[in-house]
Amino acid sequence: MHRCLQLALLGQGNVAPNPMVGAVLVYHDRIIGEGYHHQYGGPHAEVHCINSVKPEEEHLIPQSAIYVSLEPCAHYGKTPPCADLIIDKRIPKVVVGCRDPFSEVNGKGIEKLQAAGIEVTVNILENECRNINKRFFTFHTKNRPYIILKWAQTGDGKIAAAPTPGKQRLLISNSFTNRIVHKWRSEEMAILVGTRTALYDDPELTTRLWPGKNPIRLVIDKDLKLPSSLKIFNSQSPVIVFNFQQHDMKERSVASLKDINYYRVSEDANMVHQILNALHSLHIQSVIVEGGAILLQSFIDSNLWDEARIICNEQLIVGEGIAAPALRNQVLQQSENFLSDTIKTYRNKLNIQ
């Protein structure tokens, strides 16, 4: 199962909104086939695993056990059911890391295998298997995306100098951690900033410093006053503008997004909840919230965050500036040093599954 998890992670950034899944086929304690889900819409891990078996060893398949990090699917989606493939190949034993929370599966794959007389063992390294697909599990169990808060702060707890149009942006993190941030972006489906961040920092919100797919860019612009010349409105990736005036999103799919899309939200309702509802309807399973301070704090105060990644440059002291958000219910998961910067990763103890 550890090998399944290693394989599953090879699909990171390419399979969403599907989960990352790895599979290995074992004959007498020897792996004779392995595979993982490479690309959304493509064959699942079980298919790649079985197809990888050497022709001279295919006769061993009906005497082997297949290990899968997530329950095999039992429904027709973009590909046929993997449970049916396992049955057709007469594999006598299946070891499953954890159940699939997706309503079209959620136990049905296990039941189909058992009904065919196959021995099924469930919940092997369950926590580890759930954790690598924390975005997928959050989306299907909490009906919202997995939410990552990210900011950089100085040694005296500021995330920016006092905002002044035309003034050069305060650079807090170093070039190494900047590349790490772009790696993070490549792993998530969307990235969100507020009006002030878009205006004063003029971020592009792409993965230009790291190979990988650009996230869908989200920006709050209540009164549609942001100038079209901002980098966020370039053609590098679609952008959704959450506002009080205009709405043109009739299609409910990521694939249908134009370069610039407008999503109207209500003035008399919680904007954070409305944004998350919109993302859920678009099947966007994860979002990085990159600022500013008011927007980040609104997620914290609403207890709508799962993970926070804070980059701190202890050597930089600015005095006057914008105070960093104040986390609540945080549990430190990891702390790493990169030259002048320390990256601390926290999980929300109230939202850990």
Side-chain angles (χ1 to χ4, degrees), residues 206-226:
T206 61
T207 60
R208 60 194 179 279
L209 299 180
W210 190 270
K213 186 178 180 181
N214 290 323
I216 297 167
R217 297 172 293 184
L218 316 171
V219 61
I220 297 173
D221 184 12
K222 297 176 182 178
D223 300 312
L224 297 179
K225 292 183 177 180
L226 289 175

Side-chain angles (χ1 to χ4, degrees), residues 147-163:
I147 301 163
I148 300 169
L149 309 181
K150 172 265 166 183
W151 70 84
Q153 65 182 48
T154 64
D156 56 347
K158 303 297 191 298
I159 67 169

Side-chain angles (χ1 to χ4, degrees), residues 136-149:
F136 181 77
F137 274 82
T138 297
F139 184 84
H140 287 288
T141 61
K142 298 189 175 183
N143 298 315
R144 64 164 175 79
Y146 187 85
I147 301 163
I148 300 169
L149 309 181

Side-chain angles (χ1 to χ4, degrees), residues 192-250:
L192 171 66
V193 294
T195 308
R196 286 175 174 252
T197 298
L199 182 62
Y200 293 116
D201 291 350
D202 193 16
E204 191 170 357
L205 304 182
T206 61
T207 60
R208 60 194 179 279
L209 299 180
W210 190 270
K213 186 178 180 181
N214 290 323
I216 297 167
R217 297 172 293 184
L218 316 171
V219 61
I220 297 173
D221 184 12
K222 297 176 182 178
D223 300 312
L224 297 179
K225 292 183 177 180
L226 289 175
S228 60
S229 58
L230 293 177
K231 294 174 184 175
I232 198 173
F233 295 120
N234 65 26
S235 60
Q236 295 300 307
S237 180
V239 59
I240 301 175
V241 183
F242 292 97
N243 69 95
F244 290 158
Q245 301 176 16
Q246 188 174 343
H247 189 92
D248 65 0
M249 295 185 62
K250 296 181 177 62

